[in-house]
Amino acid sequence: MSEKPSVLFVCVHNAGRSQMAAAWLSHLAGDRVEVRSAGSAPADQVNPAAVEAMREVGIDITAETPKILTVDAVKASDVCITMGCGDTCPVFPGKRYLDWKLDDPAGQGVEAVRPIRDEIKKLVEGLIEEIAPAPEKSA
């Protein structure tokens, strides 16, 4: 498979869960995966508690901005992972859809966001193993 897999993370505001998931995937998979995130009703800015929670693990998402979910973004992605956006995500045949049940960090302090961040990391690690495993190291 020469083309690298692409993943789109979608939540309502594209301010917390999907931003953290995209950051984890970029951080953990590097350039093995193409990463996008979007929201069905994007917020004005990324959730400051999400920014802080990711900063604590050495990942800077301060430059990220919530983006509107587009049909093109879904079409361009191999895997579409929704996080509480319900039926607002367009569905196309031939795409793989996963729905991750995660608490919404909106309005929560960083203490409440940390467990969500850690849960997202576990889910992303599992996803990487499935779609873009690390190359075998030769002995």
Side-chain angles (χ1 to χ4, degrees):
M1 184 165 95
S2 62
E3 231 176 84
K4 59 183 165 186
S6 60
V7 177
L8 171 66
F9 293 104
V10 182
C11 64
V12 176
H13 300 298
N14 187 220
R17 294 165 290 188
S18 56
Q19 290 284 357
M20 290 191 287
W24 273 125
L25 185 54
S26 296
H27 180 73
L28 296 169
D31 59 6
R32 298 199 315 271
V33 180
E34 191 178 337
V35 183
R36 297 181 184 85
S37 72
S40 51
D44 296 333
Q45 64 178 33
V46 175
N47 179 336
V51 171
E52 175 62 20
M54 293 305 285
R55 190 187 61 71
E56 290 176 353
V57 293
I59 301 173
D60 181 4
I61 60 170
T62 52
E64 299 300 325
T65 52
K67 292 172 277 309
I68 185 74
L69 176 64
T70 65
V71 169
D72 290 342
V74 178
K75 281 184 179 171
S77 303
D78 300 313
V79 182
C80 185
I81 298 175
T82 57
M83 304 170 177
C85 69
D87 300 328
T88 58
C89 297
V91 175
F92 294 96
K95 301 288 174 201
R96 180 155 172 229
Y97 291 88
L98 300 172
D99 187 47
W100 289 355
K101 305 280 185 228
L102 296 159
D103 292 333
D104 188 348
Q108 307 270 4
V110 71
E111 297 77 23
V113 175
R114 283 184 193 118
I116 301 168
R117 170 200 68 200
D118 296 343
E119 177 66 17
I120 290 171
K121 181 182 183 194
K122 287 189 198 106
L123 289 164
V124 166
E125 286 170 339
L127 178 70
I128 292 169
E129 280 303 306
E130 204 177 308
I131 66 168
E136 294 288 323
K137 302 243 187 309
S138 51

